[in-house]
Amino acid sequence: MATRKARTAFAIKRFKKLVKEISQSKRGTLGVTIIAFFVLLAIFAPVIAPYDPINPWKDPGQYPAYDSPPGPKLAEKLCVPSWYEYIPWVHKGSIELKESFISYVVVIDGQKFPNVTNLYLTQRIAKAQKIEAFFPNGSSRELVPVEEWMHNPADLRRVTLDWQTAENLPDSTRVEVTYLTGTDITKTMEVVTDYKFSSSETFYSKWQNKTSHPELFNIKHNSQEGFESGGCIEITYSGSEYNASASEVNTTVFVPFGYAHWAPPKSFATHFSARIETTTKTNVTVTLWLRDEALGKSFLLSTYPITSKGTYFHYKAVSTGNETKGNIGEYPERIIFPRPANMSFALSVNFPNKENDVTVYIDNVQCILYGNSFGLLGTDNGSPFPPRDIFSTLVYGTRVSLVVGILSALFSTVIGLFLGLISGYVGGTVDETVMRFADLLLVLPTLPLFIVLIAVMKSTYGLVSMWNIIILLTFFGWMGFSRTVRSMVLSIRERPFIEAAKAAGGGKFYIITKHMIPNVFPLVYVTLATSVPGAIVTEASLSWLGLGDPSIPSWGKVLYDFNVSGIAVTKGLIEYWFWIFPPCLAIAILATAFILLGFALDEILNPRLRQRR
Amino acid sequence: MGLRGYLARRVVYSIILILAVITVNFLIFSMLPGDPMAQFVAGMRGHIDEERYAQLRKHFGLDRPLHERYLSTLGNMLIFNFGNDIISGEPVFDAMRTPMLNTILLMGSAEIISITLGILIGVIAAYKRGGILDTTLVTSSLVTYSVPIFFVGWIVILVFAVQLHWFPSGLTSPPGWVRNPPVNVLEYIVGRLRYIVLPAFTLFLFTVGGWILFTRACILETINEDYVLTARAKGLKERTVLYKHVLKNASLPIITNVALAAAFLISGAIITETLFSYNGMGLLTWHAIYPTPNLPILQAVFYLTALLVIIANFIADLLYGVIDPRVRYG
C-alpha cells in the first residue's frame, strides 16, 4: 500500500510528464499560451480595462446635477479609436477652398432680388479668409459679410452679404469666397483640470476674473468650504458699500484654454454647484459662457437664478439642451468651435440686489468637450445605456466567456463521467434509462431548444442570468461523453484486473473509483478542452441573438448591440470594424485555443493515436 | 436473436423515443414555469374582447385539465396535426412548405459539398499524418471549426457582397420577383442560385473543418491495423488501400454522422439564415420565437427534427450491417 506521500509524488510526476509533453507539441503550447493570456486578462480586468463597462459615466457623484445617470457620460457615441490620429492617411487640419458665384439681379414688380445675398458653400466653414468681387470691367474689391460668417447660426455653410452691396453689384460679377474647412480626430477634453478646487495654486494659476466694481469684490480660493468640503471659489460682494453709480454689478470668473482641432467636438457638457450666503433676502443670477478670444465673441449657454440660500444647488448645461440651442443655434458645438482658437470658459455672477452683502460659493465647475475619438477601440452607439468603451467591454467580456465555457464544460464532463461510469458498470435498467434519456436529449435540435427555453425564462423572470446559460449548456452537453465513458467501461469491465479486484472483495464503489476512473481519466482532459469552445460559441451565439444576460458585458452582447444599432446597414461593416471584429476575433481565438489544446492532449493521451517512434 | 429480433427491439426503442419526444415537447410548451402557451394567450387579454379570449383559450385547449391536454397533444402529434399558424392562420404545414424547401436547398447543397470535400481532405490529411500538409489542414480545420458562424458570415458578406459585389448580401430571391416573377426556368435557377451561394459557402466553411477532423480521426483509428499492412504488402496501390480498405472500415461512425446531419438539416441553420435573411426553417423558427411566439410552428419543428433524427439513427444502424459484414445484430 503506497503512502499518501508516495502517491502525491507519483501524481506530481505524472502531471510534470504531461506538461512536458504538451510543451513539446506546438499546438498544445500555442493553445496553453493563448488560454493563459485570456485568463490573465480576465483576472486583471479591473486593472487592464481603463473604464467600467457597466457604469460608463464620468466620476459618479462629483457631478450632482447629472442626478440620473450619475455623472455625465464617459464619451460620445460612435467614437473612432483615438490612435486614428496617428494614421497618416486620415486627414487632420484645414483645407483652403475657393468657390465662385456669378451675380445677377432679378426684378419683380420693380423690386430687385439679388442672387448673391446668401451664398451656400459646399463645406462647413472653419475659418473665413475673404470674399472678393471681380467686376466685369476687370477691377476687384473685397466685400464684407453681414455678420461673423463662420458663426452663422442658421447654417454652418452659409455666408450672408449685405442686401445693399449685393443689389449694387453689376450683373455677371464673379463673387469668390475663400475659406478654410477642416477635418480632425478630436479628443475628449476637460477644460477645468481641478474642478473640485482642492488646490489653491491651481486655482490662482488657471483662473482669472473680471469685475465691474473691483473695490466691491473679493474673489479667492476657499479650501474649507465647498460641496463636500473639498475647496471652492468664494466670491464676496460688499453691497453695503455700493454707491449707486453703475448700472449693473457683476463678476466673471473664467478659465482660458486652447481648442486645438480643425473640427468641432461632437458635443459638450458644463456643470457647476453653487451656494449663496446672505443675511438679507437677496438673489443672484449665474450665467455660463464660452468665449472665442480671437473673435471677441461670447456665447451664452445658460442662465440660472439662485434664490434660496444655505444649500448647494447643482446646474448643468449641455449642447443638446434646449436653452443652449435656443441661445446659440441648432448645433452649438459646431458654431462655437469651428477651428483651433484660444477660448475661455466663463461663469458670470450678476447681483440684481445691488445694496446687499452676498457671499457666493462655487464648486464642481467643469466643461467637457466630447471628441470624436475615444479609447483603444472607440465607443458603441450607447443604446439604451450611455456609450461604452469597447475595449473595456472586451476585457470584461473575457470573464463571461471563460466562466461560461469552463464551468459548463466542467459540469457536463463531470456529469457525463458519472453517468457513463454508472450506466456502464451497473448495467441493466439503470443503463437503459440513462442511455435512453441521453438519446432523447440528443435527438432534440439544441440551438432552437436553447432559444425557446431562454425566451421562456426571459419572459418569466424578466432576465436571463449567465447561470441559466451554464445550466442549459451543462444539461445538454453531457451525453456524448457519457456514451464514450460507458463504452470504455464496458470493455474495461471484462479485463482480468477487474475480476481480480472483485475476487479480492472490492465493492462497486471501490472498483469504480480505484480502477475505472484512472483508466478513463485521460479522456476527461480531452473532453474538457474540446467542450469549452462549443460552450463559448453557443453563449456568444445566444448573446448575438439578444438572449444573453443584458447586465453583464459579454463578447456576444457587443455583437448584438452592433446588430441592433443598424450601423451595418447605414455605414457598412468597414467603417466600424473596431466594433465587431475584435469581439469576433476574441471568441474565435479563445475557442481555437481550447480546441488546439484538446487536440494536443488527444494526441498525447490517446494510445491509439500515439505515433510509433 | 438475429436480425429480426434486433429490428423489433430497435423499432420498439424508436417508438418509445418518439413518445418521449412528444412528452418533452408537451412539457416545454405547457408545464415550464411561465407556460409560453398560456402566456401568449394571456398577452392577448385586453387587446381582444372576452368572447374571443375565451375562444382562443379553448382553441389552445387551455381550459381543459393537463392530462386531457397531454393526450390530445399526443394524438395530434402522431397524426401530424400541428394546428394553425398563429399569425397567418394557415395550417402549420402550409406555412412550413416554402421555408422547408428553401432550407433543404441551402443546407443540402452546403452539406453535400462539405461532406464530400471533408471526407476526401480528411483521408489525405490522415494519410500524410505529421507532415506539413496535415498540420496546415488540421490547424485550419480547427480554426474554422471553432470560429463562430456569424463571424464567418460577416466576413463572407464583407468580401463577396460589399467589396466585390458578386452576390447579394441577403434575402432568398430577388426582391423584384414579388411583382414580376421570372418567366423562364433558367432565369429562375440563376436567380435562386445567386442568393444561395453566400449562405451555402458560409455553412460550408463552418462545417467542413468538422468533417475533415472527424474523418481524419476515424481513419487514424484503422490505419495502423494489420490488414492495412497486409494490403500494402500485397502490392496494392496506395489509393486502393486508402479508399477501399481503410476508409471502408473507418466509415461506420462517418455514416452515423452523415445520417444525423441529414436529419438535422430540416431544423435549418438559425444563425446563418438570420444573418442572410434567408427564408428557411431557421428563420421561421427564429421568427416563431421572436418577436411573437408562434408555438405551433415551434412544436412542429422540434417534433419533426426529433422524428427525422430517430429515423436517421435507425437507418444508420441498419446500414452498418450492409457495409460491415462483421457487425452482428443482437
Side-chain angles (χ1 to χ4, degrees), chain A residues 272 276 283-287 302-308 313 315 323:
Chain A
F272 74 93
I276 56 174
N283 53 21
V284 300
T285 310
V286 180
T287 46
S302 222
T303 311
Y304 299 101
I306 304 175
T307 46
S308 52
F313 286 88
Y315 306 91
E323 192 184 350

Side-chain angles (χ1 to χ4, degrees), chain A residues 9-255:
Chain A
F10 181 64
I12 291 172
K13 201 177 145 196
R14 214 166 44 172
F15 184 71
K16 272 186 182 163
K17 200 179 155 220
L18 184 67
V19 170
K20 197 183 154 204
E21 279 189 272
I22 291 175
S23 67
Q24 275 168 352
S25 141
K26 273 181 200 155
R27 288 199 197 103
T29 323
L30 185 65
V32 169
T33 317
I34 297 172
I35 295 168
F37 171 73
F38 276 107
V39 167
L40 287 180
L41 212 59
I43 292 173
F44 295 107
V47 185
I48 296 166
Y51 308 99
D52 183 352
I54 301 167
N55 299 309
W57 289 292
K58 256 182 204 303
D59 294 344
Q62 289 306 326
Y63 297 97
Y66 297 87
D67 42 7
S68 159
K73 63 194 170 192
L74 192 62
E76 255 299 331
K77 60 184 182 181
L78 297 176
C79 284
V80 298
S82 54
W83 45 264
Y84 263 35
E85 66 172 317
Y86 303 113
I87 300 180
W89 61 85
V90 173
H91 188 269
K92 294 169 282 287
S94 62
I95 311 157
E96 191 181 270
L97 294 174
K98 278 187 175 153
E99 280 177 49
S100 294
F101 301 84
I102 306 295
S103 81
Y104 56 84
V105 179
V106 181
V107 185
I108 301 168
D109 294 340
Q111 211 181 339
K112 287 180 177 176
F113 292 95
N115 74 321
V116 289
T117 47
N118 285 322
L119 304 174
Y120 288 96
L121 303 169
T122 52
Q123 299 295 323
R124 184 181 62 84
I125 307 166
K127 191 173 187 335
Q129 303 289 73
K130 59 182 173 183
I131 309 178
E132 265 187 304
F134 295 92
F135 298 107
N137 61 15
S139 64
S140 66
R141 177 163 69 86
E142 200 166 320
L143 303 177
V144 184
V146 172
E147 58 176 355
E148 274 308 335
W149 54 336
M150 71 288 266
H151 293 145
N152 196 323
D155 192 323
L156 295 160
R157 297 188 290 120
R158 193 180 74 181
V159 176
T160 310
L161 283 181
D162 181 15
W163 190 282
Q164 207 85 43
T165 318
E167 194 181 62
N168 293 334
L169 290 176
D171 273 12
S172 309
T173 303
R174 191 164 60 87
V175 177
E176 191 183 79
V177 183
T178 313
Y179 68 102
L180 295 180
T181 186
T183 53
D184 215 338
I185 302 294
T186 57
K187 284 195 165 167
T188 298
M189 175 184 181
E190 287 175 38
V191 169
V192 182
T193 44
D194 180 24
Y195 63 92
K196 293 180 205 165
F197 298 101
S198 48
S199 140
S200 64
E201 282 121 58
T202 321
F203 173 73
Y204 289 119
S205 64
K206 297 266 177 172
W207 286 84
Q208 300 174 16
N209 62 68
K210 206 164 79 183
T211 55
S212 59
H213 300 77
E215 71 283 359
L216 300 180
F217 283 101
N218 182 15
I219 298 168
K220 63 173 205 249
H221 179 260
N222 184 331
S223 55
Q224 259 76 49
E225 287 290 326
F227 183 70
E228 292 175 351
S229 319
C232 67
I233 308 178
E234 180 188 318
I235 301 173
T236 317
Y237 172 60
S238 318
S240 45
E241 293 160 29
Y242 178 74
N243 51 4
S245 61
S247 56
E248 204 172 282
V249 179
N250 65 44
T251 181
T252 304
V253 285
F254 61 96
V255 56

